[in-house]
Amino acid sequence: MNSNTVPRSITPVILAGGSGTRLWPLSRKSYPKQFVPLVSDQTLFQASALRMTGGAASDVQFLAPMVLTNSDFRFIVTEQLAGAGIDPGAILIEPDGRNTGPAILAAALHAQASDPDAILLVSPSDHVIPDAAAFHSAIVAGLEAVAQGHLVTFGITPDRPETGYGYLELASEPAGTTPVTLKRFVEKPDATRATEMLAAGNFLWNAGIFLFRATDIIAAFEIHAPDLLPPVSTAVAQAQVDLGFLRLAPEPWSKTADISIDYAVMEKASNLSVVPFSAGWSDLGGWDAVWREGRRDVTGVGLSGAATAIDCEDSLLRSESERLELVGIGLKNVMAIAMNDAVLVADMSRAQDVKKAVDALKAKKSAQATHFPKDHRPWGWFESLVVGNRFQVKRIHVHPGAALSLQSHFHRSEHWIVVEGTARVTVDDEVRLVTENESVYIPLGAIHRMENPGRMPMVLIEVQTGSYVGEDDIVRYEDVYARGQGAKG
């Protein structure tokens, strides 16, 4: 491609890993914030994908997106993309999280292999950008710099002295969306320094969104982070296709450094341009950000789910449990988030300290620190309703047309009661349909499977009894999702 030719096609690269500990208890390691509908009916991941797919942005065409995620989230990614009507171009599975540096390099190498002129728009999957049209205009503005071989990042015009974000210092004050030369990256400041930078006018928040040619970012890695190239290149070259996913090779990937794209390349490169963006953005990095971005009444109270506020102001009350009513009386600047298994109550000014709660729960080995009440699987999800010494009661939701693996257990028997839909049940050599208000018994050691043959979700209550009811008590014989013997569900 001629260096003066402005590119017309862009491949979005969506980064869908992370743990989102500052939005605990709704966001946890097993089900982080990007997969949760926090400020609208869509999840953050779906909104991000829709913002970068499905047609033209001015004179730019978005191609099918590339998604980077991990093995635990791969079926959540496909399910949510399908729910948004999006067909991905590729889903790359990272064997282990290695931060954004190796992930973006892997995406660039994969894209370059099929298109030497590939243009990549790299974005986290957990940001809120309400004005998609303005974002598209900013992308178009950045393409002129990309055509000249620049690495483009997007800077957010600050509206407050925020201490939770890194900053970009520009060589001159921004004007509209015209790209400006980046002078330097600035780490998260204290309140005094943040106030000074806001007043200076040439500092923007670092959004972590990038636009560049694959060849240019690979060249930057060759210069500034050459040690990453051999293991990442090998991991991409030896990647294996698995049910439509592309699994990066684990052995070479394990040799990559855990490093961000900023530290690996961006803070060292001299060919960086910044596109200013002032049309609204949030990384939802805390419950205070959710409160700001969400709906609020005239008293500044945001309510969600089964929540009620009486004489409250400037507060956030969310009940994520259909069985738990959350009531606040006389609260001011308080955030209260209630779930089936955990409740967070804190002053709004302490939003960035929520991760300390996660650390404290991890220290006491509390499951709530990392595990979500609903355990999501490729066939649907389940949640434990009651757990005793020798029994467990679950609610199991199976998607239309989905099936659990053909399996058996060493230590427990099971009793299934269908409460919604129809189940096709296999027990050893017998296969039969079980409809609503009917049940079936699965003896210890029996080879069994449940399927949903219908077009609506199937829900059943499962009662397990035995000496051990852990999820790893499973022998898998057949599995349409090609999970290994140690996988759950």
Side-chain angles (χ1 to χ4, degrees):
M1 180 172 63
N2 187 293
S3 62
N4 294 318
T5 301
V6 177
R8 300 297 176 191
S9 299
I10 294 175
T11 298
V13 176
I14 304 172
L15 306 178
S19 57
T21 55
R22 287 178 293 178
L23 289 180
W24 184 89
L26 186 56
S27 175
R28 308 187 197 184
K29 182 179 179 181
S30 67
Y31 201 71
K33 66 176 181 176
Q34 62 264 29
F35 301 123
V36 177
L38 276 165
V39 294
S40 73
D41 293 336
Q42 297 170 339
T43 69
L44 299 179
F45 173 73
Q46 287 175 317
S48 296
L50 287 167
R51 190 164 53 242
M52 298 184 288
T53 56
S58 299
D59 58 348
V60 177
Q61 182 73 27
F62 287 119
L63 304 178
M66 184 190 314
V67 180
L68 280 92
T69 189
N70 60 45
S71 186
D72 290 342
F73 300 155
R74 67 194 190 280
F75 292 111
I76 300 174
V77 163
T78 55
E79 178 184 332
Q80 294 203 354
L81 287 176
I86 295 172
D87 187 15
I91 299 177
L92 274 59
I93 306 299
E94 300 175 77
D96 295 294
R98 286 292 187 269
N99 215 314
T100 55
I104 292 173
L105 177 56
L109 290 167
H110 178 71
Q112 186 191 47
S114 56
D115 180 7
D117 295 329
I119 308 297
L120 306 182
L121 173 65
V122 180
S123 174
S125 59
D126 56 0
H127 290 184
V128 172
I129 302 178
D131 192 341
F135 181 57
H136 296 166
S137 297
I139 294 168
V140 172
L143 288 174
E144 293 284 351
V146 169
Q148 303 302 318
H150 286 216
L151 308 177
V152 173
T153 186
F154 294 81
I156 309 302
T157 304
D159 58 8
R160 61 186 184 276
E162 176 63 57
T163 60
Y165 299 149
Y167 284 70
L168 306 170
E169 183 178 1
L170 309 186
S172 59
E173 285 198 31
T177 57
T178 302
V180 183
T181 300
L182 175 66
K183 185 175 181 180
R184 68 185 178 104
F185 286 79
V186 180
E187 293 291 335
K188 296 177 182 179
D190 59 25
T192 300
R193 181 59 180 142
T195 300
E196 293 171 351
M197 291 191 290
L198 179 65
N202 65 321
F203 289 85
L204 305 179
W205 291 335
N206 181 7
I209 302 173
F210 304 99
L211 182 69
F212 39 61
R213 290 188 296 216
T215 52
D216 293 330
I217 191 63
I218 293 170
F221 274 98
E222 290 174 342
I223 296 170
H224 304 295
D227 291 346
L228 284 178
L229 269 167
V232 175
S233 298
T234 304
V236 173
Q238 296 179 359
Q240 298 291 319
V241 176
D242 175 15
L243 291 179
F245 305 104
L246 187 64
R247 288 184 176 273
L248 301 176
E251 195 277 330
W253 188 259
S254 68
K255 299 177 181 178
T256 62
D258 185 334
I259 188 170
S260 72
I261 185 71
D262 286 354
Y263 285 134
V265 171
M266 297 300 177
E267 293 186 3
K268 305 170 185 176
S270 59
N271 60 331
L272 263 66
S273 293
V274 180
V275 173
F277 186 73
S278 58
W281 167 92
S282 175
D283 72 343
L284 291 187
W287 284 114
D288 55 339
V290 175
W291 172 76
R292 280 193 300 268
E293 296 297 324
R295 298 184 184 93
R296 288 170 282 163
D297 64 18
V298 293
T299 65
V301 173
L303 296 175
S304 179
T308 301
I310 301 172
D311 297 332
C312 297
E313 57 181 292
D314 297 334
S315 294
L316 176 65
L317 304 178
R318 293 179 67 117
S319 175
E320 302 296 332
S321 169
E322 59 195 29
R323 305 190 302 271
L324 196 154
E325 288 284 346
L326 174 64
V327 180
I329 302 176
L331 302 179
K332 184 175 181 180
N333 298 321
V334 168
M335 51 190 191
I337 318 299
M339 300 191 67
N340 286 344
D341 64 337
V343 177
L344 170 72
V345 181
D347 189 274
M348 195 78 76
S349 66
R350 303 294 298 272
Q352 294 300 310
D353 291 334
V354 172
K355 56 188 176 183
K356 294 181 179 179
V358 178
D359 292 339
L361 291 175
K362 284 181 179 178
K364 60 189 290 189
K365 300 186 178 349
S366 172
Q368 285 90 333
T370 56
H371 290 84
F372 202 69
K374 289 183 179 178
D375 201 325
H376 290 262
R377 300 295 166 85
W379 43 260
W381 53 264
F382 72 83
E383 62 177 334
S384 294
L385 303 178
V386 181
V387 181
N389 188 34
R390 291 178 57 88
F391 73 93
Q392 179 172 204
V393 181
K394 291 181 179 179
R395 176 168 61 167
I396 299 177
H397 175 111
V398 184
H399 297 318
L404 280 69
S405 61
L406 186 66
Q407 58 187 258
S408 66
H409 308 295
F410 288 117
H411 304 289
R412 70 175 186 259
S413 60
E414 296 173 341
H415 188 190
W416 296 341
I417 306 99
V418 176
V419 294
E420 290 183 31
T422 298
R424 180 186 292 122
V425 175
T426 300
V427 182
D428 290 328
D429 296 329
E430 180 185 3
V431 180
R432 66 187 179 95
L433 295 178
V434 181
T435 59
E436 289 183 12
N437 205 32
E438 293 183 341
S439 63
V440 63
Y441 175 67
I442 314 296
L444 185 151
I447 297 175
H448 61 281
R449 170 166 32 211
M450 74 173 75
E451 306 169 69
N452 180 2
R455 298 181 179 180
M456 300 295 289
M458 184 267 289
V459 180
L460 60 82
I461 301 299
E462 177 182 80
V463 180
Q464 303 175 353
T465 57
S467 60
Y468 179 69
V469 293
E471 292 302 313
D472 54 351
D473 175 22
I474 185 170
V475 178
R476 183 172 284 111
Y477 303 96
E478 295 177 8
D479 183 29
V480 295
Y481 308 106
R483 294 167 294 174
Q485 194 60 252
K488 301 175 182 179

